[in-house]
Amino acid sequence: EQYGRALVQIRSGAAAEAIPALEALRDRRPDVTLYHTALGQAQLSAGRIAASRATLENAMRLFPRNVPVTMRYAETLMRDGDPKQAHVVLLDLFNNVPPTAEQARYTAIAANAAGDVADSYYYMSEFHIISGDLSLAINQLRLAQAVPGINSVQRERFDARIRELEEYLPK
């Protein structure tokens, strides 16, 4: 009941009011990931970015590679002006857990904000693959190939993915 009420407060613009209840729930049951993520979300929504970052860093230690924790942490890192770290944590997660389309898109956004344009195109291609549009995925990979300064490993990765996807397209 307290958790549900806190979520309603967050969504209705009263995130600061939800924080004490979520802190109490988290302190009572530190093994429940939802309490950590909701607290981090409430803190972020209330403009308490440093507190959100600390809450979610702790949750990352307790629940490594947990998708909701990592996504909330990445969101906080982006709002805190640290897109490079957001990109790093998302890459670590999605090199171990397949992303959803929306998670691939968010990884592309983080990569772009971090200045890694080629990886941004690559993750947008993954978004299009998951969404079922192989032609758009190939176009994104060709854009990645055109980014100045990519290294030979990146180039080969993009080439290999294009060849793989082209096998599935009608001749």
Side-chain angles (χ1 to χ4, degrees):
E1 190 177 302
Q2 286 178 315
Y3 176 72
R5 189 175 311 116
L7 292 181
V8 168
Q9 289 172 318
I10 294 169
R11 290 193 179 105
S12 66
E17 295 171 24
I19 293 171
L22 290 168
E23 286 173 334
L25 288 168
R26 180 209 51 198
D27 293 346
R28 221 174 319 144
R29 292 289 312 274
D31 59 320
V32 178
T33 59
L34 292 174
Y35 297 157
H36 293 268
T37 57
L39 176 57
Q41 181 183 10
Q43 291 165 326
L44 184 62
S45 294
R48 299 177 188 176
I49 296 171
S52 176
R53 189 167 176 160
T55 294
L56 294 166
E57 281 174 357
N58 182 55
M60 290 284 290
R61 281 189 293 279
L62 293 171
F63 315 105
R65 295 191 177 125
N66 176 281
V67 175
V69 170
T70 303
M71 292 303 296
R72 289 288 182 210
Y73 183 49
E75 179 184 0
T76 295
L77 291 168
M78 293 286 286
R79 286 270 305 275
D80 198 24
D82 196 353
K84 285 188 184 295
Q85 185 61 27
H87 187 205
V88 167
V89 299
L90 290 168
L91 288 180
D92 175 65
L93 176 65
F94 297 131
N95 284 330
N96 293 285
V97 178
T100 65
E102 187 55 31
Q103 292 161 349
R105 189 185 72 74
Y106 196 75
T107 303
I109 291 168
N112 191 51
D116 193 344
V117 177
D119 263 2
S120 178
Y121 286 128
Y122 175 80
Y123 278 97
M124 278 308 294
S125 78
E126 293 299 308
F127 166 80
H128 291 301
I129 291 166
I130 295 166
S131 300
D133 194 332
L134 300 186
S135 295
L136 275 177
I138 291 170
N139 288 341
Q140 290 292 310
L141 290 165
R142 288 195 175 123
L143 288 169
Q145 288 175 317
V147 172
I150 64 170
N151 62 43
S152 59
V153 172
Q154 287 175 303
R155 184 169 307 287
E156 183 52 39
R157 181 172 129 201
F158 303 149
D159 289 341
R161 193 66 163 149
I162 288 171
R163 286 190 304 271
E164 177 187 4
L165 295 175
E166 286 177 336
E167 289 179 20
Y168 292 101
L169 292 177
K171 301 294 180 214

